[in-house]
Amino acid sequence: MRMRKKKWAIPFLKSQTDLVIENPSIYKGKWKEKLNRNSIRVEIGIGKGAYFDGMSKMYNEDGWIGIEKELNVAAIAAKKLSEEPLENRVLITKDAKDILDWFDKGEIDIIHLNFSDPWPKRSTRKRRLTHSNFIDQYTEILSEEGKIVFKTDNSGLFEFSIIEFTHNGYIIEEISVDYRREKHDEDVITEYEAKFIELNQPIYRLVLKKGRI
Ligand SMILES: C[S@@+](CC[C@H](N)C(=O)[O-])C[C@H]1O[C@@H](n2cnc3c(N)ncnc32)[C@H](O)[C@@H]1O
């Protein structure tokens, strides 16, 4: 998600020292202590943070770490989250390519990927958050029973992701090609998702379980 530059974004993010983790590596292996929870979820690419905000309240028994690399977007999310400071959630406003520096082996229980950028050109596929290069890193940081929950509007990205996950040892636990056909009050609608629902487009969803390799 690209946004026009906001002058207030960086100073605001820097001012939110409890919410925005400046140096996530110092908590590597210690996120459960930091968030005072036994189970940790990570959402990569939170955008303006509607899903992260709603889910971290709905599943308050879990610790939540939101990652967003675009600072002008992350600042909007941080503003919303700062209105209700909660001990179980923090943000990392950096590129998820470095997650192995921030999280220890097996430390994360669920990874959420919502409407990840599709990067349609063959030459840019490696940037997809469901490319095997990223999946290898998820496998490292996920617990034995770890899961990945993935939603998208993009059928091409959905097909690509099924192949990538299953070729890398993941088991499909749930699959839907029209997730919002039924009511799912247990899952918050993201900003992008709301737009596609409005356009009557189907939402694709996968829940993947880490296989035993
Ligand atoms: C298409 S938007 C979707 C936003 C939100 N998840 C939603 O569903 O409304 C994808 C977001 O992921 C972020 N993103 C993409 N690649 C990322 C990466 N490697 N690290 C952190 N954030 C990333 C983008 O900056 C963008 O804000």
Side-chain angles (χ1 to χ4, degrees):
M1 190 185 289
R2 284 275 158 80
M3 277 216 141
R4 219 173 324 133
K5 202 169 172 212
K6 292 182 171 44
K7 268 195 191 154
W8 58 269
I10 293 175
F12 181 75
L13 288 170
K14 280 199 191 311
S15 74
Q16 297 300 303
T17 49
D18 287 340
L19 176 64
V20 181
I21 306 295
E22 179 67 27
N23 182 4
S25 317
I26 61 173
Y27 294 109
K28 185 172 179 170
K30 300 185 187 117
W31 287 103
K32 287 182 182 159
E33 272 169 59
K34 164 75 183 153
L35 298 171
N36 196 21
R37 297 293 187 276
N38 290 325
S39 170
I40 303 290
R41 303 200 197 196
V42 169
E43 185 189 354
I44 305 179
I46 66 164
K48 295 181 191 167
Y51 187 81
F52 186 78
D53 182 39
M55 292 291 279
S56 56
K57 286 176 186 157
M58 197 185 306
Y59 299 94
N60 181 266
E61 69 278 16
D62 296 332
W64 285 79
I65 302 164
I67 303 176
E68 175 53 59
K69 67 175 172 154
E70 287 293 331
L71 300 185
N72 295 301
V73 181
I76 294 177
K79 193 146 225 179
K80 183 171 14 210
L81 298 167
S82 68
E83 284 162 14
E84 195 173 340
L86 296 175
E87 70 163 1
N88 71 320
R89 62 188 192 184
V90 290
L91 293 183
I92 298 175
T93 57
K94 299 179 191 294
D95 193 315
K97 67 178 173 45
D98 295 325
I99 48 173
L100 292 186
D101 295 340
W102 313 332
F103 305 120
D104 218 348
K105 207 170 176 334
E107 190 173 22
I108 305 302
D109 297 283
I110 303 180
I111 296 174
H112 294 269
L113 303 171
N114 290 317
F115 300 84
S116 309
D117 300 308
W119 295 108
K121 284 192 203 150
R122 187 166 282 276
S123 59
T124 56
R125 280 193 178 170
K126 283 193 173 165
R127 295 186 205 164
R128 289 178 172 174
L129 291 176
T130 55
H131 187 277
S132 57
N133 291 352
F134 272 104
I135 294 176
D136 285 347
Q137 301 187 52
Y138 305 153
T139 303
E140 184 83 13
I141 64 172
L142 277 173
S143 64
E144 292 244 323
E145 302 298 321
K147 290 187 184 182
I148 297 174
V149 185
F150 172 59
K151 290 194 283 183
T152 183
D153 63 298
N154 188 302
S155 55
L157 180 64
F158 188 67
E159 290 164 359
F160 170 88
S161 305
I162 290 173
I163 301 284
E164 293 289 278
F165 280 118
T166 53
H167 280 189
N168 286 283
Y170 283 78
I171 295 157
I172 298 176
E173 227 180 40
E174 290 176 38
I175 185 164
S176 177
V177 293
D178 193 1
Y179 183 58
R180 295 293 172 189
R181 186 175 43 206
E182 283 150 31
K183 229 170 166 319
H184 284 288
D185 293 336
E186 76 284 8
D187 185 72
V188 171
I189 293 172
T190 82
E191 284 105 10
Y192 268 64
E193 190 170 6
K195 288 185 197 164
F196 296 117
I197 292 172
E198 182 73 26
L199 294 170
N200 250 326
Q201 285 182 220
I203 306 301
Y204 301 85
R205 181 174 180 270
L206 286 174
V207 177
L208 302 134
K209 198 172 98 178
K210 193 172 150 179
R212 292 182 201 286
I213 307 170

